[in-house]
Amino acid sequence: MKKIFIIDSSPRKNMNTAQMIQKFMEGVNSFKAEIDVKHIRLYDLDFHGCYSCMLCKMKNNKFLHYCGRKDGATDILQEAAYADGLVFASPIYYGDFNAQMKAFFERLTYPWLNYEDYSKNHNPKPNRPSAIIYTMNAGQAYQENMEEMYQRNESLFMHIGLAKPERIKAICTKQVADYSKFNFTEEHAALHNNWHNEHFADELHAAFEAGKRMANKVATME
């Protein structure tokens, strides 16, 4: 059975990232094909970023495709290395993926980096479909500033052998259920509440449609 892995680095189980992931999964499941969707929450794992042990770079080693370092992410990293589709869902902290996602991404993809020939890589399933789900406080006015980050990540994905990731966004997110309990200005609260009410349903639908598209790509892979 084909498998799609969704890597979720949000610390919160029911907020924006979780809802976008749920809609993406519903989109996959709406495509009438036997595809297993596995949702991994990184905050449930006890793991670290790359240890720089260089085990994956040793001659005649068995870890060209996945990280051999043992900790709470080892089994997930090995399974994700061979998934047919990869989705990375992260809230944006300080203009990029959060720490948990960066740590996992290092561990997943560093074994694929080929120091002998930079034009090639050790990705066991090259050009497989990928997607990035971004959720962020930044609103429409800041999207031009975010473009450099989006393009950098997309270039990195392609450099390590994934297909160019589909970009899925929820912007100007509602950060808390009740802004009156926190130190936010009334203008900030109104902006985010209004955007949520007017646009979040469309962003969720976009995630659903992206899930359908990835399911179609995965189902037709040889």
Side-chain angles (χ1 to χ4, degrees):
M1 181 182 291
K2 299 290 181 66
K3 180 172 290 187
I4 293 174
F5 252 64
I6 300 178
I7 309 302
D8 173 7
S9 67
S10 175
R12 300 196 281 184
K13 295 182 177 181
N14 301 304
M15 291 293 285
N16 304 289
T17 308
Q19 292 177 60
M20 292 288 282
I21 289 171
Q22 181 60 38
K23 284 299 179 181
F24 188 97
M25 293 174 64
E26 290 175 12
V28 172
N29 292 329
S30 73
F31 190 85
K32 302 304 180 183
E34 291 189 359
I35 298 174
D36 181 28
V37 185
K38 189 160 188 174
H39 176 200
I40 304 299
R41 295 195 71 255
L42 296 184
Y43 271 83
D44 292 340
L45 305 179
D46 183 9
F47 78 105
H48 298 277
C50 179
Y51 291 86
S52 195
C53 65
M54 302 302 285
L55 183 62
C56 64
K57 301 294 177 266
M58 292 182 68
K59 293 182 177 180
N60 302 315
N61 80 85
K62 64 178 182 179
F63 298 112
L64 286 177
H65 295 163
Y66 58 89
C67 178
R69 185 75 181 216
K70 301 296 184 182
D71 66 6
T74 303
D75 292 342
I76 297 301
L77 286 162
Q78 183 173 349
E79 196 174 355
Y82 298 101
D84 300 290
L86 288 170
V87 182
F88 300 84
S90 177
I92 297 302
Y93 293 173
Y94 289 107
D96 207 341
F97 291 148
N98 67 2
Q100 279 70 20
M101 182 60 79
K102 289 182 178 180
F104 188 87
F105 190 81
E106 289 170 1
R107 294 278 300 281
L108 176 65
T109 64
Y110 186 55
W112 303 345
L113 186 62
N114 185 347
Y115 283 133
E116 296 176 300
D117 186 345
Y118 286 103
S119 68
K120 300 178 182 178
N121 57 68
H122 300 300
N123 190 324
K125 290 191 175 182
N127 298 315
R128 77 188 93 171
S130 69
I132 305 175
I133 298 174
Y134 297 99
T135 59
M136 68 194 77
N137 175 41
Q140 190 65 42
Y142 292 93
Q143 290 309 297
E144 184 176 347
N145 295 337
M146 304 295 289
E147 187 64 28
E148 180 180 354
M149 181 270 291
Y150 298 144
Q151 292 190 21
R152 183 181 67 248
N153 287 339
E154 289 162 12
S155 296
L156 178 59
F157 275 46
M158 292 185 287
H159 180 68
I160 48 87
L162 296 172
K164 183 177 181 179
E166 179 164 4
R167 189 189 302 179
I168 308 157
K169 299 185 297 182
I171 69 174
C172 203
T173 52
K174 187 172 181 178
Q175 299 146 285
V176 294
D178 184 356
Y179 277 97
S180 68
K181 297 179 180 179
F182 299 88
N183 291 323
F184 290 98
T185 66
E186 291 184 4
E187 291 79 7
H188 181 102
L191 173 65
H192 288 259
N193 280 325
N194 290 340
W195 182 274
H196 178 87
N197 293 336
E198 295 174 9
H199 298 284
F200 191 52
D202 292 334
E203 293 167 335
L204 290 173
H205 182 70
F208 178 89
E209 293 296 321
K212 287 172 59 177
R213 286 190 291 273
M214 180 170 282
N216 181 51
K217 293 175 184 176
V218 166
T220 55
M221 288 171 57
E222 295 184 358

